[in-house]
């Protein structure tokens, strides 16, 4: 495993709501499903992250930088501007 994969997982946590939800169920399963090969130590360190903090950070990211989430797109499309 490389630092690059850890960085990709962190970036994905911040920019992909669907991935965050999957990680909430099982970090290891979500990473395996997405092809991230992490060592046991890396999984342990990532599992110690406070998901509330990740969610808060994700909420401050410009939506243009985030992966499109079908649920979000549908909700946004129904909002009146």
């Amino acid at each position: 495993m490389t630092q690059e994969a850890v960085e990709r997982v962190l970036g994905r946590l911040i920019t992909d709501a669907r991935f965050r939800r999957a990680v909430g169920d099982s970090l290891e399963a979500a990473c395996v499903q997405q092809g991230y090969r992490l060592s046991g130590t890396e999984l342990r360190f990532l599992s110690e992250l406070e998901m509330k903090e990740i969610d808060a950070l994700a909420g401050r990211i410009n939506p243009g930088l985030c992966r499109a989430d079908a649920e979000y797109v549908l909700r946004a499309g129904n909002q009146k501007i």
Side-chain angles (χ1 to χ4, degrees):
M1 179 58 235
T2 65
Q3 180 66 25
E4 180 183 350
V6 171
E7 292 170 1
R8 291 182 71 176
V9 169
L10 289 169
R12 189 87 182 266
L13 281 169
I14 295 166
T15 61
D16 186 342
R18 184 174 290 158
F19 183 66
R20 278 194 308 281
R21 287 191 296 271
V23 165
D25 293 335
S26 170
L27 171 66
E28 185 172 7
C31 288
V32 167
Q33 181 181 18
Q34 296 301 313
Y36 300 122
R37 295 177 187 238
L38 300 167
S39 70
T41 300
E42 290 162 337
L43 283 168
R44 189 178 80 247
F45 289 159
L46 287 169
S47 71
E48 292 171 357
L49 292 171
E50 292 289 333
M51 290 309 293
K52 288 180 184 179
E53 303 271 339
I54 298 294
D55 287 336
L57 176 59
R60 292 191 298 268
I61 299 293
N62 183 304
L65 296 175
C66 295
R67 184 176 291 253
D69 181 342
E71 182 180 323
Y72 171 80
V73 170
L74 288 173
R75 280 195 315 255
N78 290 329
Q79 292 179 354
K80 299 202 190 292
I81 299 177

Coordinates of all heavy atoms in Angstrom, one line a residue:
M1 N 0.8 -1.2 0.0 CA 0.0 0.0 0.0 C 0.9 1.2 0.0 O 1.9 1.3 0.6 CB -0.9 -0.1 1.3 CG -1.8 1.1 1.5 SD -2.9 1.3 0.1 CE -2.6 2.9 -0.3
T2 N 0.4 2.2 -0.7 CA 1.2 3.5 -0.7 C 0.4 4.6 -0.1 O -0.8 4.5 0.1 CB 1.5 3.8 -2.2 OG1 0.2 4.1 -2.8 CG2 2.1 2.7 -3.0
Q3 N 1.2 5.7 0.1 CA 0.6 6.9 0.7 C -0.5 7.4 -0.3 O -1.5 8.0 0.1 CB 1.7 7.9 0.9 CG 1.1 9.3 1.4 CD 0.6 9.1 2.8 OE1 0.9 8.2 3.6 NE2 -0.3 10.0 3.2
E4 N -0.3 7.2 -1.6 CA -1.2 7.6 -2.6 C -2.6 7.1 -2.4 O -3.6 7.8 -2.5 CB -0.7 7.3 -4.0 CG -1.7 7.7 -5.1 CD -1.2 7.3 -6.5 OE1 -0.1 6.8 -6.6 OE2 -2.0 7.4 -7.4
A5 N -2.7 5.8 -2.0 CA -4.0 5.2 -1.8 C -4.7 5.8 -0.6 O -5.9 6.0 -0.6 CB -3.9 3.7 -1.7
V6 N -3.9 6.0 0.5 CA -4.5 6.7 1.7 C -5.0 8.0 1.3 O -6.1 8.4 1.7 CB -3.4 6.8 2.8 CG1 -3.9 7.6 3.9 CG2 -3.0 5.4 3.3
E7 N -4.3 8.8 0.5 CA -4.7 10.1 0.1 C -6.0 10.0 -0.8 O -6.9 10.9 -0.7 CB -3.6 10.8 -0.6 CG -2.4 11.2 0.3 CD -1.2 11.7 -0.5 OE1 -1.2 11.8 -1.7 OE2 -0.2 11.9 0.2
R8 N -6.0 9.0 -1.6 CA -7.2 8.9 -2.5 C -8.4 8.6 -1.6 O -9.5 9.1 -1.9 CB -7.0 7.8 -3.5 CG -5.9 8.3 -4.5 CD -5.7 7.2 -5.6 NE -6.9 7.2 -6.4 CZ -7.0 6.5 -7.5 NH1 -6.1 5.7 -7.9 NH2 -8.1 6.5 -8.2
V9 N -8.3 7.7 -0.6 CA -9.4 7.4 0.3 C -9.8 8.6 1.0 O -11.0 8.9 1.1 CB -9.0 6.2 1.3 CG1 -10.1 6.1 2.3 CG2 -8.8 4.9 0.5
L10 N -8.9 9.4 1.5 CA -9.3 10.6 2.2 C -10.0 11.6 1.3 O -11.0 12.2 1.7 CB -8.0 11.3 2.8 CG -7.4 10.6 4.0 CD1 -6.0 11.1 4.4 CD2 -8.3 10.6 5.2
G11 N -9.5 11.8 0.1 CA -10.1 12.7 -0.8 C -11.5 12.2 -1.2 O -12.5 13.0 -1.3
R12 N -11.6 10.9 -1.3 CA -12.9 10.3 -1.7 C -13.9 10.5 -0.5 O -15.1 10.7 -0.7 CB -12.7 8.8 -2.0 CG -13.9 8.1 -2.6 CD -14.0 8.3 -4.1 NE -15.2 7.6 -4.6 CZ -15.2 6.4 -5.0 NH1 -14.1 5.7 -5.1 NH2 -16.3 5.9 -5.5
L13 N -13.4 10.3 0.7 CA -14.3 10.6 1.9 C -14.9 12.0 1.9 O -16.0 12.2 2.2 CB -13.5 10.3 3.2 CG -13.4 8.9 3.6 CD1 -12.4 8.8 4.7 CD2 -14.7 8.2 3.9
I14 N -14.1 12.9 1.5 CA -14.5 14.3 1.5 C -15.4 14.7 0.3 O -16.3 15.5 0.5 CB -13.2 15.2 1.5 CG1 -12.5 15.0 2.8 CG2 -13.6 16.7 1.4 CD1 -11.1 15.6 2.8
T15 N -15.2 14.0 -0.8 CA -15.9 14.5 -2.0 C -17.0 13.5 -2.5 O -17.7 13.8 -3.5 CB -14.9 14.7 -3.2 OG1 -14.3 13.4 -3.5 CG2 -13.9 15.7 -2.9
D16 N -17.2 12.4 -1.8 CA -18.2 11.4 -2.3 C -19.1 10.9 -1.2 O -18.7 10.1 -0.4 CB -17.4 10.2 -2.9 CG -18.3 9.2 -3.6 OD1 -19.5 9.2 -3.3 OD2 -17.8 8.4 -4.4
A17 N -20.3 11.5 -1.1 CA -21.3 11.1 -0.1 C -21.6 9.7 -0.1 O -21.8 9.1 1.0 CB -22.5 12.0 -0.2
R18 N -21.8 9.1 -1.2 CA -22.1 7.6 -1.3 C -21.0 6.8 -0.7 O -21.2 5.9 0.0 CB -22.3 7.2 -2.8 CG -22.8 5.8 -2.9 CD -23.2 5.5 -4.3 NE -24.4 6.2 -4.6 CZ -24.8 6.5 -5.8 NH1 -24.1 6.1 -6.9 NH2 -26.0 7.1 -6.0
F19 N -19.7 7.2 -1.0 CA -18.6 6.4 -0.4 C -18.6 6.6 1.1 O -18.3 5.7 1.8 CB -17.3 6.9 -1.0 CG -16.1 6.2 -0.6 CD1 -15.9 4.8 -0.9 CD2 -15.1 6.8 0.2 CE1 -14.8 4.2 -0.4 CE2 -14.0 6.2 0.6 CZ -13.8 4.8 0.3
R20 N -18.9 7.8 1.6 CA -18.9 8.1 3.0 C -20.0 7.2 3.7 O -19.7 6.6 4.7 CB -19.2 9.5 3.4 CG -18.0 10.4 3.3 CD -18.3 11.8 4.0 NE -19.5 12.5 3.5 CZ -19.5 13.2 2.3 NH1 -18.5 13.2 1.6 NH2 -20.6 13.8 2.0
R21 N -21.1 7.0 3.1 CA -22.2 6.2 3.6 C -21.7 4.7 3.7 O -21.9 4.0 4.6 CB -23.5 6.3 2.8 CG -24.2 7.6 3.1 CD -25.6 7.6 2.5 NE -25.6 7.5 1.0 CZ -25.6 8.5 0.2 NH1 -25.5 9.7 0.6 NH2 -25.6 8.3 -1.1
A22 N -21.0 4.3 2.6 CA -20.5 2.9 2.5 C -19.5 2.7 3.6 O -19.4 1.7 4.3 CB -19.9 2.6 1.2
V23 N -18.6 3.7 3.8 CA -17.6 3.6 4.9 C -18.2 3.5 6.2 O -17.8 2.8 7.1 CB -16.6 4.8 4.8 CG1 -15.7 4.9 6.0 CG2 -15.7 4.6 3.5
G24 N -19.4 4.2 6.4 CA -20.1 4.2 7.7 C -20.5 2.8 8.0 O -20.6 2.4 9.2
D25 N -20.8 2.0 7.0 CA -21.2 0.6 7.2 C -20.0 -0.3 7.4 O -20.0 -1.1 8.3 CB -22.0 0.0 6.0 CG -23.3 0.7 5.8 OD1 -23.9 1.2 6.8 OD2 -23.8 0.7 4.6
S26 N -18.9 -0.1 6.6 CA -17.7 -0.9 6.8 C -16.6 -0.3 5.9 O -16.6 -0.3 4.7 CB -17.9 -2.3 6.3 OG -16.7 -3.0 6.2
L27 N -15.6 0.3 6.6 CA -14.5 0.9 5.9 C -13.8 -0.1 5.1 O -13.5 0.2 3.9 CB -13.5 1.5 7.0 CG -12.2 2.0 6.4 CD1 -12.4 3.2 5.5 CD2 -11.3 2.4 7.5
E28 N -13.5 -1.2 5.6 CA -12.7 -2.2 4.9 C -13.5 -2.7 3.6 O -12.9 -2.7 2.5 CB -12.4 -3.4 5.8 CG -11.5 -4.4 5.1 CD -11.0 -5.5 6.0 OE1 -11.5 -5.6 7.1 OE2 -10.2 -6.3 5.5
A29 N -14.8 -3.0 3.8 CA -15.6 -3.4 2.6 C -15.7 -2.4 1.5 O -15.5 -2.6 0.4 CB -17.0 -3.9 3.1
A30 N -15.9 -1.1 2.0 CA -16.0 0.0 1.0 C -14.6 0.2 0.2 O -14.6 0.4 -1.0 CB -16.3 1.3 1.7
C31 N -13.5 0.0 0.9 CA -12.2 0.2 0.3 C -11.9 -1.0 -0.7 O -11.5 -0.7 -1.8 CB -11.1 0.3 1.3 SG -11.2 1.9 2.2
V32 N -12.3 -2.2 -0.2 CA -12.0 -3.3 -1.1 C -12.9 -3.2 -2.4 O -12.4 -3.4 -3.5 CB -12.3 -4.6 -0.4 CG1 -12.4 -5.8 -1.3 CG2 -11.3 -4.9 0.7
Q33 N -14.2 -2.8 -2.2 CA -15.1 -2.7 -3.3 C -14.6 -1.6 -4.3 O -14.7 -1.8 -5.5 CB -16.5 -2.3 -2.8 CG -17.5 -2.1 -3.9 CD -18.8 -1.7 -3.4 OE1 -19.0 -1.2 -2.3 NE2 -19.8 -1.9 -4.3
Q34 N -13.9 -0.6 -3.9 CA -13.4 0.4 -4.7 C -12.0 0.2 -5.2 O -11.4 1.0 -5.9 CB -13.5 1.8 -4.1 CG -14.9 2.2 -3.7 CD -15.8 2.3 -5.0 OE1 -15.3 2.9 -6.0 NE2 -17.0 1.8 -5.0
G35 N -11.4 -0.9 -4.8 CA -10.0 -1.3 -5.2 C -8.9 -0.6 -4.5 O -7.8 -0.7 -4.9
Y36 N -9.2 -0.1 -3.3 CA -8.1 0.5 -2.5 C -7.5 -0.6 -1.7 O -8.2 -1.3 -0.9 CB -8.7 1.6 -1.6 CG -9.3 2.8 -2.3 CD1 -10.6 3.1 -2.1 CD2 -8.6 3.5 -3.2 CE1 -11.2 4.2 -2.7 CE2 -9.1 4.6 -3.9 CZ -10.5 4.9 -3.6 OH -11.0 6.0 -4.3
R37 N -6.2 -0.8 -1.8 CA -5.5 -1.8 -1.0 C -4.8 -1.2 0.1 O -3.8 -0.5 -0.1 CB -4.5 -2.6 -1.9 CG -5.2 -3.3 -3.0 CD -4.2 -4.0 -3.9 NE -4.9 -4.6 -5.1 CZ -4.8 -5.8 -5.4 NH1 -4.0 -6.7 -4.7 NH2 -5.4 -6.3 -6.4
L38 N -5.3 -1.4 1.3 CA -4.8 -0.7 2.5 C -4.3 -1.8 3.4 O -4.9 -2.9 3.6 CB -5.9 0.1 3.2 CG -6.5 1.2 2.4 CD1 -7.8 1.7 3.0 CD2 -5.5 2.3 2.2
S39 N -3.2 -1.5 4.1 CA -2.7 -2.4 5.2 C -3.6 -2.3 6.4 O -4.5 -1.4 6.5 CB -1.3 -2.0 5.6 OG -1.3 -0.8 6.3
G40 N -3.4 -3.3 7.3 CA -4.2 -3.3 8.5 C -4.0 -2.0 9.3 O -4.9 -1.5 9.9
T41 N -2.8 -1.6 9.3 CA -2.4 -0.3 10.1 C -3.1 0.9 9.4 O -3.7 1.7 10.2 CB -0.9 -0.1 10.1 OG1 -0.3 -1.2 10.7 CG2 -0.6 1.2 10.8
E42 N -3.1 1.0 8.1 CA -3.8 2.1 7.5 C -5.3 2.0 7.7 O -5.9 3.1 8.0 CB -3.5 2.0 6.0 CG -2.0 2.4 5.7 CD -1.5 2.0 4.3 OE1 -2.1 1.0 3.7 OE2 -0.6 2.6 3.8
L43 N -5.9 0.9 7.6 CA -7.3 0.7 7.9 C -7.6 1.2 9.3 O -8.6 1.9 9.6 CB -7.8 -0.7 7.7 CG -8.0 -1.1 6.2 CD1 -8.1 -2.6 6.1 CD2 -9.2 -0.4 5.6
R44 N -6.8 0.8 10.2 CA -7.0 1.1 11.6 C -6.9 2.7 11.8 O -7.8 3.3 12.4 CB -6.0 0.4 12.6 CG -6.3 0.7 14.0 CD -5.4 -0.1 15.0 NE -4.2 0.7 15.1 CZ -3.0 0.3 14.7 NH1 -2.8 -0.8 14.1 NH2 -1.9 1.1 14.8
F45 N -5.9 3.3 11.2 CA -5.8 4.7 11.3 C -7.0 5.4 10.7 O -7.5 6.4 11.3 CB -4.5 5.2 10.7 CG -3.2 4.9 11.4 CD1 -2.0 4.9 10.7 CD2 -3.2 4.6 12.7 CE1 -0.8 4.6 11.4 CE2 -2.1 4.2 13.4 CZ -0.8 4.2 12.7
L46 N -7.4 5.0 9.5 CA -8.5 5.6 8.8 C -9.8 5.4 9.6 O -10.7 6.3 9.7 CB -8.7 5.1 7.4 CG -7.6 5.6 6.4 CD1 -7.7 4.8 5.1 CD2 -7.8 7.1 6.2
S47 N -9.9 4.2 10.3 CA -11.2 3.9 11.0 C -11.3 4.8 12.3 O -12.3 5.0 12.9 CB -11.2 2.5 11.4 OG -10.3 2.1 12.4
E48 N -10.1 5.4 12.7 CA -10.1 6.3 13.9 C -10.6 7.7 13.5 O -10.7 8.5 14.4 CB -8.8 6.3 14.5 CG -8.4 4.9 15.1 CD -6.9 4.8 15.6 OE1 -6.2 5.8 15.4 OE2 -6.6 3.8 16.1
L49 N -10.8 8.0 12.3 CA -11.2 9.3 11.9 C -12.6 9.6 12.4 O -13.5 8.6 12.5 CB -11.3 9.5 10.3 CG -10.0 9.5 9.6 CD1 -10.2 9.4 8.1 CD2 -9.1 10.7 10.0
E50 N -12.9 10.8 12.8 CA -14.2 11.1 13.3 C -15.1 11.5 12.1 O -14.9 12.5 11.4 CB -14.2 12.4 14.2 CG -13.5 12.1 15.5 CD -14.3 11.2 16.4 OE1 -15.5 11.2 16.3 OE2 -13.7 10.5 17.3
M51 N -16.0 10.6 11.8 CA -16.9 10.8 10.6 C -17.7 12.1 10.6 O -18.0 12.7 9.6 CB -17.7 9.6 10.3 CG -16.9 8.4 9.8 SD -15.8 8.7 8.4 CE -17.0 9.0 7.1
K52 N -18.0 12.5 11.8 CA -18.7 13.8 12.0 C -17.9 14.9 11.4 O -18.4 15.9 10.8 CB -19.1 14.0 13.4 CG -20.2 13.2 13.9 CD -20.6 13.5 15.4 CE -21.6 12.5 15.9 NZ -22.0 12.8 17.3
E53 N -16.6 14.8 11.7 CA -15.6 15.9 11.2 C -15.5 15.8 9.7 O -15.4 16.8 9.0 CB -14.3 15.7 11.9 CG -14.3 15.7 13.4 CD -14.1 17.1 14.0 OE1 -13.6 17.9 13.3 OE2 -14.5 17.3 15.1
I54 N -15.4 14.6 9.2 CA -15.4 14.4 7.7 C -16.6 15.0 7.1 O -16.6 15.7 6.1 CB -15.2 12.9 7.4 CG1 -13.8 12.4 7.9 CG2 -15.2 12.7 5.8 CD1 -12.6 13.0 7.4
D55 N -17.8 14.6 7.6 CA -19.1 15.2 7.1 C -19.1 16.7 7.1 O -19.6 17.3 6.2 CB -20.2 14.6 7.9 CG -20.5 13.1 7.6 OD1 -20.1 12.7 6.5 OD2 -21.1 12.5 8.5
A56 N -18.6 17.3 8.2 CA -18.6 18.7 8.3 C -17.7 19.3 7.3 O -18.0 20.3 6.6 CB -18.1 19.2 9.7
L57 N -16.5 18.8 7.1 CA -15.6 19.2 6.1 C -16.2 19.1 4.7 O -16.2 20.0 3.9 CB -14.2 18.5 6.1 CG -13.2 18.8 5.1 CD1 -12.9 20.3 5.1 CD2 -12.0 18.0 5.2
A58 N -16.8 17.9 4.4 CA -17.4 17.7 3.1 C -18.5 18.7 2.9 O -18.7 19.1 1.7 CB -18.0 16.3 3.1
G59 N -19.2 19.1 3.9 CA -20.3 20.1 3.7 C -19.8 21.5 3.4 O -20.5 22.3 2.9
R60 N -18.5 21.7 3.6 CA -17.9 23.0 3.2 C -17.2 23.0 1.9 O -16.8 24.1 1.4 CB -16.9 23.5 4.3 CG -17.6 23.8 5.6 CD -16.7 24.4 6.6 NE -15.6 23.6 7.0 CZ -15.5 22.8 8.1 NH1 -16.6 22.7 8.8 NH2 -14.4 22.1 8.3
I61 N -17.2 21.9 1.2 CA -16.5 21.8 -0.1 C -17.5 22.3 -1.2 O -18.7 21.9 -1.1 CB -16.1 20.3 -0.4 CG1 -15.1 19.8 0.7 CG2 -15.6 20.1 -1.8 CD1 -13.8 20.4 0.6
N62 N -17.0 23.0 -2.1 CA -17.8 23.5 -3.2 C -18.4 22.2 -3.9 O -17.7 21.3 -4.3 CB -17.0 24.3 -4.2 CG -17.8 24.8 -5.3 OD1 -18.5 24.1 -6.0 ND2 -17.7 26.1 -5.5
P63 N -19.7 22.2 -4.1 CA -20.4 21.0 -4.8 C -19.8 20.7 -6.1 O -19.8 19.6 -6.6 CB -21.8 21.4 -4.9 CG -22.0 22.4 -3.8 CD -20.7 23.2 -3.7
G64 N -19.2 21.7 -6.8 CA -18.6 21.4 -8.1 C -17.3 20.5 -8.0 O -16.9 20.0 -9.0
L65 N -16.8 20.4 -6.8 CA -15.6 19.5 -6.6 C -16.1 18.1 -6.1 O -15.2 17.2 -6.0 CB -14.7 20.1 -5.5 CG -14.1 21.4 -5.9 CD1 -13.3 22.0 -4.7 CD2 -13.2 21.3 -7.1
C66 N -17.3 17.9 -5.9 CA -17.8 16.7 -5.3 C -18.4 15.7 -6.4 O -18.8 16.2 -7.4 CB -18.9 16.9 -4.3 SG -18.3 17.8 -2.9
R67 N -18.3 14.5 -6.1 CA -18.8 13.4 -7.0 C -20.3 13.6 -7.0 O -20.9 13.8 -5.9 CB -18.4 12.1 -6.5 CG -18.8 10.9 -7.4 CD -18.3 9.6 -6.9 NE -16.9 9.6 -7.0 CZ -16.2 8.8 -7.9 NH1 -16.9 8.0 -8.7 NH2 -14.9 8.8 -8.0
A68 N -20.9 13.5 -8.2 CA -22.4 13.7 -8.2 C -23.1 12.5 -7.5 O -22.7 11.4 -7.7 CB -22.9 13.7 -9.7
D69 N -24.0 12.9 -6.7 CA -24.7 11.9 -5.9 C -26.2 12.0 -6.4 O -26.8 13.1 -6.3 CB -24.6 12.2 -4.4 CG -25.4 11.3 -3.5 OD1 -26.3 10.5 -4.0 OD2 -25.1 11.3 -2.3
A70 N -26.7 10.9 -6.9 CA -28.0 11.0 -7.6 C -29.1 11.6 -6.6 O -29.9 12.4 -7.0 CB -28.5 9.6 -8.0
E71 N -29.0 11.2 -5.3 CA -30.0 11.7 -4.4 C -29.9 13.2 -4.2 O -30.8 13.9 -4.2 CB -29.7 11.0 -3.0 CG -30.7 11.4 -1.9 CD -30.4 10.6 -0.6 OE1 -30.0 9.5 -0.7 OE2 -30.5 11.3 0.4
Y72 N -28.6 13.7 -4.1 CA -28.4 15.1 -4.0 C -28.9 15.9 -5.3 O -29.5 16.9 -5.2 CB -26.9 15.4 -3.8 CG -26.5 16.9 -3.8 CD1 -26.8 17.7 -2.8 CD2 -26.0 17.4 -5.0 CE1 -26.5 19.0 -2.8 CE2 -25.8 18.8 -5.1 CZ -26.0 19.6 -4.0 OH -25.7 20.9 -4.1
V73 N -28.6 15.3 -6.4 CA -28.9 15.9 -7.7 C -30.5 16.1 -7.8 O -31.0 17.1 -8.1 CB -28.4 15.2 -8.9 CG1 -29.0 15.7 -10.2 CG2 -26.9 15.3 -8.9
L74 N -31.2 15.0 -7.4 CA -32.6 15.0 -7.4 C -33.2 16.1 -6.4 O -34.1 16.8 -6.8 CB -33.2 13.7 -7.0 CG -33.1 12.6 -8.1 CD1 -33.5 11.2 -7.6 CD2 -33.8 13.0 -9.4
R75 N -32.6 16.1 -5.2 CA -33.1 17.1 -4.2 C -32.8 18.6 -4.7 O -33.6 19.4 -4.7 CB -32.4 16.9 -2.9 CG -32.9 15.8 -2.1 CD -32.5 15.9 -0.6 NE -31.0 16.2 -0.5 CZ -30.1 15.3 -0.2 NH1 -30.5 14.1 0.1 NH2 -28.8 15.6 -0.1
A76 N -31.6 18.8 -5.3 CA -31.2 20.1 -5.8 C -32.1 20.5 -6.9 O -32.5 21.7 -7.1 CB -29.8 20.1 -6.2
G77 N -32.5 19.6 -7.8 CA -33.3 19.8 -8.9 C -34.8 20.2 -8.5 O -35.5 20.9 -9.3
N78 N -35.2 19.8 -7.3 CA -36.5 20.1 -6.9 C -36.6 21.4 -6.1 O -37.7 21.8 -5.7 CB -37.1 19.0 -6.0 CG -37.3 17.7 -6.8 OD1 -37.7 17.8 -8.0 ND2 -37.2 16.6 -6.2
Q79 N -35.4 22.1 -5.8 CA -35.4 23.3 -5.1 C -35.8 24.5 -6.0 O -35.4 24.5 -7.1 CB -34.0 23.5 -4.4 CG -33.7 22.5 -3.4 CD -32.3 22.8 -2.8 OE1 -31.6 23.6 -3.2 NE2 -32.0 22.0 -1.8
K80 N -36.5 25.4 -5.4 CA -36.8 26.6 -6.1 C -35.8 27.6 -5.9 O -35.4 27.8 -4.7 CB -38.2 27.1 -5.7 CG -39.3 26.1 -6.0 CD -40.6 26.8 -6.1 CE -41.8 25.9 -6.1 NZ -41.9 25.1 -7.2
I81 N -35.3 28.3 -6.9 CA -34.3 29.3 -6.7 C -34.9 30.7 -6.8 O -35.8 31.0 -7.5 CB -33.2 29.2 -7.8 CG1 -32.6 27.8 -7.6 CG2 -32.2 30.3 -7.7 CD1 -31.5 27.5 -8.7

